[in-house]
Amino acid sequence: MRLYGSYQFWSMRSLFRFTQEVYNEADRLMAFHGLEEGNNYVAIVNHVSSTARTKCHNHERINYGPHRLWIEHNFGTDSITHMSSDREVQCAPSETDVRKAIEADGRGMLGGFMSFKSKVYLSVPDVNSERVAAEAVTVVSIPIRSAFDEAVDMVIASRAKRIIVSPFFSHSQIVTELFLLRNALDPQGVRFF
């Protein structure tokens, strides 16, 4: 029996087990914002440390994270969809880049899942949700002031129908792993900046 890379393997190796309070708060916020688990929203996630942002702007090489490499290795390069080929955009997207991602997903360029009644859960610090809202799409975000808030943010993002994440950073890796575990390791709903 092949265990490595299987659902059982990822379920056992995943260290991301949050307390029940985190899940309760995620449930409360999702109900408050009208987010339906796995149904009506796409999550856009890109948390970049100041060190990584500096590397991006200096065009220093940053390797793809394990979450992106795992999908490529197990499903091939055809399964990988990037919003941009520009490493700086992949690393630290601007408000314009985030808006383009929302609009591209809404037009169906990335699989046509989003109806224009959909919502976007935005987890990109330093990006104003009001300025990136696309036509007829509601953008929701929560303030992150603590590790608890960050854990709630990851849970909400991982429950989306689709995620658009950084191909590099650990925050996106956690969200991607949680998303894949919720979706029987099916990468169809994963897109990368």
Side-chain angles (χ1 to χ4, degrees):
M1 181 173 97
R2 187 181 141 216
L3 184 61
Y4 181 79
S6 69
Y7 179 85
Q8 289 175 324
F9 172 82
W10 281 97
S11 183
M12 289 186 293
R13 82 155 284 286
S14 182
L15 303 176
F16 311 115
R17 304 258 192 261
F18 298 116
T19 64
Q20 189 58 47
E21 290 82 15
V22 169
Y23 293 105
N24 292 345
E25 182 65 6
D27 291 341
R28 186 188 72 73
L29 287 169
M30 288 174 67
F32 177 78
H33 290 293
L35 302 174
E36 300 168 23
E37 183 173 339
N39 189 18
N40 74 332
Y41 69 104
V42 60
I44 298 180
V45 180
N46 199 336
H47 288 241
V48 183
S49 69
S50 58
T51 304
R53 189 177 302 277
T54 300
K55 284 183 176 184
C56 287
H57 290 302
N58 293 337
H59 301 287
E60 293 179 37
R61 179 93 175 134
I62 297 176
N63 295 325
Y64 286 132
H67 58 300
R68 195 231 179 248
L69 296 174
W70 183 86
I71 291 173
E72 181 180 347
H73 175 74
N74 285 285
F75 297 95
T77 53
D78 291 344
S79 65
I80 303 290
T81 302
H82 280 280
M83 303 301 295
S84 174
S85 59
D86 182 341
R87 281 279 181 137
E88 190 166 349
V89 171
Q90 292 176 1
C91 187
S94 67
E95 287 181 352
T96 302
D97 299 322
V98 171
R99 183 177 172 88
K100 285 179 184 175
I102 293 169
E103 290 172 347
D105 199 51
R107 283 192 309 269
M109 290 172 62
L110 298 178
F113 296 105
M114 181 184 268
S115 76
F116 281 101
K117 296 177 186 170
S118 293
K119 296 184 179 185
V120 172
Y121 180 73
L122 186 64
S123 178
V124 184
D126 305 324
V127 170
N128 184 317
S129 60
E130 292 173 9
R131 290 199 296 258
V132 299
E135 184 178 330
V137 175
T138 305
V139 178
V140 175
S141 62
I142 63 169
I144 298 177
R145 298 183 197 100
S146 66
F148 179 83
D149 293 341
E150 189 168 6
V152 169
D153 171 73
M154 287 187 250
V155 169
I156 293 171
S158 71
R159 291 178 174 178
K161 182 167 186 135
R162 288 169 329 286
I163 57 175
I164 301 172
V165 296
S166 165
F168 304 107
F169 305 115
S170 60
H171 191 281
S172 289
Q173 177 185 344
I174 295 168
V175 170
T176 303
E177 284 189 21
L178 291 170
F179 178 86
L180 289 170
L181 286 170
R182 296 186 73 75
N183 292 282
L185 300 182
D186 183 357
Q188 291 296 313
V190 180
R191 308 288 186 260
F192 296 98
F193 273 104

